[in-house]
Amino acid sequence: AQSVTQLDSQVPVFEEAPVELRCNYSSSVSVYLFWYVQYPNQGLQLLLKYLSGSTLVKGINGFEAEFNKSQTSFHLRKPSVHISDTAEYFCAVSDAGLTFGEGTQLTVNP
Amino acid sequence: DTGVSQDPRHKITKRGQNVTFRCDPISEHNRLYWYRQTLGQGPEFLTYFQNEAQLEKSRLLSDRFSAERPKGSFSTLEIQRTEQGDSAMYLCASSHGTSSAGGTQYFGPGTRLTVL
């Protein structure tokens, strides 16, 4: 069975600071990895995905993630965050359905 | 393309009642998924359809839960004899794919169920 671990449940940062949200996965087969964002009272929105090819994946809103097979990680980064990035972020690995981590609450403070 | 839609957005029911939710996927998406999300947790996979066939069900999907996708388009999720533990957000997603990865999933806004 595949699993996802998000290492930080909450990440507070100041506006314009860089941020990294950590995600580790376990899988015995080829993986397809995703980051979704969930704003308060809204559905999940796809930020970016890794299916194959380049290990550095760029997504929407200035986010990017790097697939590291040897470390089984798929960390999400943004060089400079905005107040509007405050949300819950979920890492997921694809199986029949998606297996999600427990989420990381990113709070951007002024 | 109007995205994935779900109806109703909110449902309050009394314990023991039956409830049914509807999901309309993105048109021409052949796969449709149901998830459950409780407060402070990530979504948990319940089941998925490829066209009208239900291909996998999670062990989370007890006998009181049933899902259908009769014509390979919209889907319904019914919960019989609801319990307070069923209170959660029920999410639907759709994708286009035939491989095991199933393509990128696009989520609807969810149906929030409260069982009193």
Side-chain angles (χ1 to χ4, degrees), chain A residues 6 29-32 34 36 38 41-46 49 51 88 90 94-103, chain B residues 9 31 33 35 37 40-45 48 56 89 91 99-110 112:
Chain A
Q6 291 185 242
V29 297
S30 297
V31 291
Y32 304 95
F34 304 81
Y36 283 84
Q38 188 172 36
N41 300 315
Q42 294 188 30
L44 290 157
Q45 180 181 1
L46 180 68
K49 60 187 176 184
L51 302 182
E88 187 90 19
F90 292 97
S94 181
D95 196 349
L98 290 172
T99 299
F100 285 87
E102 294 196 350
Chain B
R9 296 290 306 275
R31 290 193 173 188
Y33 308 78
Y35 294 83
Q37 185 178 23
Q41 301 294 317
E44 297 172 298
F45 169 74
Y48 91 96
E56 187 155 333
M89 178 75 86
L91 298 168
S99 71
S100 59
T104 299
Q105 294 182 32
Y106 296 90
F107 283 80
R112 182 169 296 283

Side-chain angles (χ1 to χ4, degrees), chain B residues 59-72:
Chain B
R59 59 179 172 77
L60 295 174
L61 210 64
S62 77
D63 292 345
R64 297 184 297 104
F65 288 69
S66 62
E68 295 183 343
R69 195 184 184 197
K71 297 182 180 179

Side-chain angles (χ1 to χ4, degrees), chain B residues 32 34 49 52 54 66-70 74-78:
Chain B
L32 186 148
W34 285 100
F49 294 82
E52 66 276 8
Q54 188 173 16
S66 62
E68 295 183 343
R69 195 184 184 197
F74 73 92
S75 175
T76 58
L77 177 68
E78 180 182 16

Side-chain angles (χ1 to χ4, degrees), chain A:
Chain A
Q2 303 187 91
S3 66
V4 173
T5 302
Q6 291 185 242
L7 298 164
D8 306 294
S9 59
Q10 297 190 26
V11 174
V13 294
F14 288 109
E15 195 173 18
E16 297 184 6
V19 71
E20 178 180 81
L21 307 184
R22 297 181 292 168
C23 172
N24 285 90
Y25 68 90
S26 90
S27 172
S28 58
V29 297
S30 297
V31 291
Y32 304 95
L33 292 158
F34 304 81
W35 276 98
Y36 283 84
V37 61
Q38 188 172 36
Y39 298 102
N41 300 315
Q42 294 188 30
L44 290 157
Q45 180 181 1
L46 180 68
L47 271 180
L48 48 79
K49 60 187 176 184
Y50 171 78
L51 302 182
S52 65
S54 173
T55 58
L56 183 63
V57 180
K58 293 189 183 296
I60 62 171
N61 300 341
F63 284 93
E64 64 180 32
E66 185 158 16
F67 171 62
N68 188 318
K69 187 175 181 179
S70 63
Q71 297 189 2
T72 61
S73 67
F74 190 55
H75 300 334
L76 181 70
R77 301 184 182 99
K78 186 170 182 177
S80 176
V81 294
H82 302 290
I83 299 283
S84 59
D85 292 323
T86 294
E88 187 90 19
Y89 292 79
F90 292 97
C91 181
V93 61
S94 181
D95 196 349
L98 290 172
T99 299
F100 285 87
E102 294 196 350
T104 297
Q105 173 64 45
L106 173 65
T107 302
V108 182
N109 298 301

